[in-house]
Amino acid sequence: MRTPSLALLTLILFACDNKDSAVGEDSAPPVGSDSGDDSDDSDDSDDSEGDDTGPDDSGGDDTGEPDEDKDGDGVPASEDCDDEDPSSYPEAVELCDGADNNCDGEVDEGVLGTFYTDADGDGYGDDGAVVEACEAPEGTSSLGGDCDDADAAYNPAAEEADCADPNDYNCDGSVGYNDGDGDGFAACEECDDGDINTFPGAEEVCDERDNNCDAVVDEGVTTTYYRDADADVWGDADYPTEACSTPAGYTEGAGDCDDSVGAINPDASEVCDSLDNDCDGLIDGDDDSLDLGTASTWYTDADGDGYGDTATGALACEAPTGATATDGDCDDSDGVVSPAASEVCDDADNDCDGLIDDADSSLDTSTASAWYADADGDSSGDASVKVLACDRPSGYIANSRDCDDANAAVSHRATEICDGIDNDCDSLIDDADSSTSSASKDSWYADNDSDGFGAGAASLACEAPSGSVENSDDCDDGDPAVSPDGIETCDFVDEDCDGVVDDGLTDSDASGLADCKEFAVIMSYGFNMRSGGVDCDGVDTVQYEFEAIEGALNSAGLGAVRLDETVSGGLTYADVSAYAGVAYHNGGWSDAARASTETLLSSAASAGKALWLLGDDGSYNVQNTAAATGTTTMYSLSYVGAFVSNGLAGTVTATSAGASHPVIAGPFGTVGSFSYTADLDYTTLAGAGEVELMRSSTGYPAVWAAESSAGQRMVFTLPSINNSHTRSGVCVTSDAAGLAELQVLAANAGWWLLDF
């Protein structure tokens, strides 16, 4: 054998090394190089020498402007290893093109082809002279194996036809004149000089070798096998192979009609699966050998409800027309009758379970009727005891309107009455039910004052409405003190509703008027002296005027009981204690009251009785009272006025304070101005709330009232129309207007004093 020459390889490598340096020698410098003559650079510095004393053009512009991207590959020049080549940038795919495409400092790494130096040009190279390049360099081959690359006669494709030639032209390590296996045939005369049993004329045996060197292996001695992809020992006749022994994945038997499914082969049983399982060309029901155990039973479904007649069952792989896999239809002529149907109330066995309507526990109760227990037989059912059934059970009824099924008198047909139960079952009882029988109701009367007695029109109800009672005996339903149980008091009101006002009260003098409405009027010595002694128009003026006052009191429902202080032994408090008030009429006489009278009045004042002083000379009386008793006992009176000449005439008029006082503006009218003949000397009350009610035109108090903190009341009425000092030409009888005002004053004073 010859050894390949290294001269050619050295020459090729040298040429490759100079290839790149020769490229573009006549062209412009590569991008990024500095020719040394930069006409566009204001600085003549040469950056190619690495001198950094001048501007640096190699790494981009450091003036603050953005980096250039000349090749438009998306990578700035400061990061691109070749900004003139758009295929070169970091992370680019390395191409076999003599350039560093991915900018990793290596060229064509991992993409070079392997070639062998072919110095003799026979198409085969020297395995020891390997060249890596993108394309086959001149003088190389992609095929190796040349055992003498200096001689084109030596290569793996060379022929060795001369058995006497000792050279290994085909580089297989042997030569034709050898008989390596000692079978009597030179290597060039047989096909395998390494096997003593292989030579021309040898017996061909099935061993996957060309035993007789006729260029055919195992001819006439192989067995035909068929591919068995599903390993079911049956092969696919379309995929035969000849072999000495069964190859892996093959079998001797052909006839598998689906070699991808192990269950399909000529030995398989035909089953219902729409496949030719036994490979006889017949499928499912068309194959008489069908395994009926895999078939289904089908039933005629004449009514199309999905259930068939059990008596029509037949085996088949697929449902015959008009058949179903489910039987149990008890009426195959009715599509609503089947085992899947719901049992409903219709007197038919809808679900084919042999039970009809109520006898079937699966009954759809939504089709049933509700029935309610009627335990009391009143044809009204109990809503709480309900059953659902097609037919009415015994003891049940269709309505549920009975609210008490233990009481036949209670049902929705009954009439509501006043008995505390819901008779007609409308959830309303007695008065709450507008249908309650009026005949069963009681009459009730409003008791507005809550005194237990009513009045007004009756209202019908079972129970007393709020604020009402069963009687109408109240004569004043606005006053709780007035009723048949009321206690009669002295107030002009019929408190006990017997039709009589203030009846049953004490009437000590049997006058027909209760003591509480009467004044004990003490007629003074002066009154008695003057009475009958003054005549004007034939009338005793003193009596006439007082009679007018008595008449006014009587009209107001009050009375005046005259007592004479001149009686033997004088008057005592016992004589007046029964009466509501005590009046003293001096008759216009300037004289002291009797000492017994003074004592009486003092006791009356102490007892809290109302006091009324009539007539002028009041101050004079007070003076004399003090002289007679040593104290102003008459309600703590103080003399403050002066005696004025007898018979002073003038007019009295209400003061601003008196205009609204009940004595002036009272229940019997408002007192107007009137003329008088009187002395008008006056007194005051010590420690009392005194109010001047009327004043004379001459500036003297004429009428005043007072009320103590304890509620005791006192009135002074000084003016007289005509007293013992008769006015010339004027008689009391001729001053009707003045007398009328005096009467109003008396009536109002009487009511105020007695606190009516």
Side-chain angles (χ1 to χ4, degrees):
M1 292 180 58
R2 300 176 183 176
T3 58
S5 175
L6 296 177
L8 180 59
L9 176 60
T10 302
L11 179 61
I12 292 172
L13 291 175
F14 178 79
C16 291
D17 186 54
N18 286 282
K19 177 181 179 182
D20 291 340
S21 63
V23 174
E25 287 181 350
D26 297 331
S27 64
V31 174
S33 67
D34 193 339
S35 65
D37 183 12
D38 191 349
S39 59
D40 294 332
D41 194 343
S42 61
D43 192 333
D44 293 336
S45 301
D46 186 357
D47 294 341
S48 64
E49 294 299 322
D51 186 353
D52 57 5
T53 59
D56 183 1
D57 296 336
S58 63
D61 190 354
D62 60 2
T63 61
E65 296 296 327
D67 287 344
E68 287 187 305
D69 181 14
K70 293 180 180 180
D71 54 10
D73 57 7
V75 179
S78 62
E79 299 177 18
D80 200 333
C81 56
D82 187 350
D83 203 34
E84 297 287 348
D85 183 357
S87 66
S88 294
Y89 54 87
E91 298 184 4
V93 176
E94 189 71 19
L95 306 175
C96 201
D97 59 358
D100 181 11
N101 306 94
N102 58 12
C103 296
D104 63 353
E106 299 183 47
V107 177
D108 297 339
E109 69 279 7
V111 295
L112 295 172
T114 301
F115 301 96
Y116 306 91
T117 300
D118 183 16
D120 55 9
D122 59 5
Y124 291 87
D126 185 351
D127 290 341
V130 178
V131 177
E132 290 188 342
C134 294
E135 297 179 358
E138 185 178 353
T140 64
S141 173
S142 62
L143 300 176
D146 196 333
C147 54
D148 187 351
D149 199 38
D151 188 342
Y154 292 86
N155 60 71
E159 294 184 5
E160 293 182 0
D162 186 358
C163 291
D165 191 338
N167 292 310
D168 182 13
Y169 293 102
N170 61 6
C171 300
D172 64 355
S174 67
V175 294
Y177 68 90
N178 290 333
D179 182 11
D181 54 11
D183 58 4
F185 289 87
C188 61
E189 296 176 334
E190 62 170 291
C191 53
D192 187 354
D193 198 36
D195 184 358
I196 193 173
N197 295 315
T198 299
F199 53 84
E203 182 182 359
E204 190 71 21
V205 296
C206 203
D207 60 359
E208 299 183 1
R209 301 174 67 84
D210 182 12
N211 306 98
N212 57 13
C213 293
D214 62 356
V216 181
V217 175
D218 295 338
E219 71 276 10
V221 296
T222 60
T223 301
T224 302
Y225 296 95
Y226 304 90
R227 187 179 68 184
D228 183 15
D230 55 12
D232 60 1
V233 306
W234 287 91
D236 187 343
D238 292 336
Y239 296 94
T241 188
E242 298 293 325
C244 297
S245 60
T246 306
Y250 281 77
T251 186
E252 290 188 48
D256 197 334
C257 52
D258 187 345
D259 200 33
S260 64
V261 180
I264 296 179
N265 60 67
D267 289 337
S269 295
E270 188 68 23
V271 296
C272 290
D273 60 359
S274 300
L275 301 173
D276 181 11
N277 309 93
D278 57 2
C279 297
D280 63 355
L282 301 174
I283 298 175
D284 292 356
D286 294 335
D287 193 335
D288 292 339
S289 67
L290 174 69
D291 179 2
L292 293 177
T294 66
S296 300
T297 302
W298 303 92
Y299 306 91
T300 301
D301 182 16
D303 55 12
D305 60 5
Y307 290 84
D309 185 347
T310 303
T312 64
L315 292 171
C317 290
E318 297 180 355
T321 301
T324 180
T326 308
D327 67 338
D329 199 333
C330 53
D331 185 352
D332 203 34
S333 65
D334 188 344
V336 299
V337 175
S338 75
S342 296
E343 187 69 22
V344 298
C345 291
D346 61 357
D347 294 323
D349 181 13
N350 310 93
D351 57 1
C352 298
D353 62 355
L355 302 173
I356 297 175
D357 292 0
D358 292 326
D360 193 337
S361 62
S362 68
L363 173 70
D364 179 1
T365 55
S366 67
T367 67
S369 299
W371 304 95
Y372 304 89
D374 183 17
D376 55 11
D378 59 3
S379 297
S380 188
D382 184 350
S384 66
V385 185
K386 179 179 75 172
V387 297
L388 297 174
C390 299
D391 299 316
R392 182 172 72 87
S394 176
Y396 284 77
I397 198 163
N399 73 75
S400 60
R401 300 175 65 181
D402 200 334
C403 51
D404 185 352
D405 204 35
N407 187 350
V410 175
S411 75
H412 71 283
R413 294 182 174 86
T415 299
E416 186 72 21
I417 61 175
C418 293
D419 60 358
I421 63 175
D422 182 13
N423 309 93
D424 57 2
C425 297
D426 61 357
S427 299
L428 301 173
I429 297 175
D430 295 355
D431 290 323
D433 193 337
S434 61
S435 69
T436 299
S437 170
S438 297
S440 69
K441 296 181 178 180
D442 293 323
S443 294
W444 302 93
Y445 304 88
D447 181 14
N448 296 319
D449 55 11
S450 302
D451 59 4
F453 293 88
S459 61
L460 295 177
C462 297
E463 301 291 337
S466 177
S468 65
V469 294
E470 289 186 283
N471 67 80
S472 59
D473 300 332
D474 202 333
C475 54
D476 184 352
D477 203 34
D479 186 347
V482 177
S483 74
D485 287 344
I487 298 175
E488 201 69 41
T489 62
C490 190
D491 56 3
F492 294 96
V493 176
D494 181 14
E495 279 103 346
D496 57 5
C497 296
D498 62 356
V500 181
V501 174
D502 297 344
D503 59 318
L505 302 179
T506 302
D507 182 9
S508 301
D509 56 7
S511 64
L513 192 65
D515 295 345
C516 61
K517 294 182 178 180
E518 291 183 311
F519 283 94
V521 182
I522 300 173
M523 314 310 292
S524 69
Y525 167 77
F527 181 90
N528 289 310
M529 277 287 292
R530 304 308 296 166
S531 177
V534 180
D535 181 23
C536 182
D537 296 333
V539 175
D540 183 341
T541 58
V542 175
Q543 289 287 348
Y544 186 84
E545 181 178 280
F546 187 67
E547 288 173 0
I549 292 174
E550 286 181 314
L553 291 174
N554 292 154
S555 297
L558 304 177
V561 179
R562 297 188 186 191
L563 299 176
D564 185 357
E565 76 167 339
T566 64
V567 297
S568 177
L571 298 173
T572 67
Y573 178 69
D575 296 317
V576 301
S577 61
Y579 300 103
V582 179
Y584 179 77
H585 198 316
N586 65 23
W589 185 257
S590 55
D591 197 0
R594 296 290 174 91
S596 58
T597 301
E598 296 292 355
T599 300
L600 180 157
L601 292 173
S602 178
S603 297
S606 298
K609 290 188 179 294
L611 299 180
W612 188 1
L613 302 182
L614 296 90
D616 62 4
D617 289 328
S619 294
Y620 188 85
N621 294 144
V622 171
Q623 286 178 298
N624 285 279
T625 296
T629 63
T631 178
T632 54
T633 56
M634 191 185 298
Y635 202 62
S636 299
L637 294 176
S638 298
Y639 167 65
V640 295
F643 176 78
V644 182
S645 62
N646 290 328
L648 179 66
T651 302
V652 292
T653 303
T655 64
S656 59
S660 60
H661 196 280
V663 171
I664 302 303
F668 302 100
T670 300
V671 180
S673 300
F674 62 92
S675 300
Y676 71 94
T677 298
D679 296 338
L680 297 186
D681 47 346
Y682 58 95
T683 62
T684 61
L685 297 176
E690 181 182 324
V691 179
E692 184 182 338
L693 305 180
M694 300 189 78
R695 177 174 283 269
S696 71
S697 57
T698 57
Y700 289 95
V703 179
W704 48 269
E707 183 173 4
S708 72
S709 60
Q712 186 179 21
R713 293 179 176 181
M714 184 174 184
V715 171
F716 268 66
T717 53
L718 304 183
S720 297
I721 298 300
N722 194 326
N723 63 5
S724 59
H725 308 289
T726 303
R727 288 176 290 167
S728 176
V730 178
C731 292
V732 68
T733 55
S734 63
D735 190 4
L739 188 60
E741 298 296 341
L742 186 61
Q743 287 180 304
V744 172
L745 175 63
N748 285 344
W751 268 61
W752 182 77
L753 282 166
L754 300 187
D755 197 17
F756 289 126

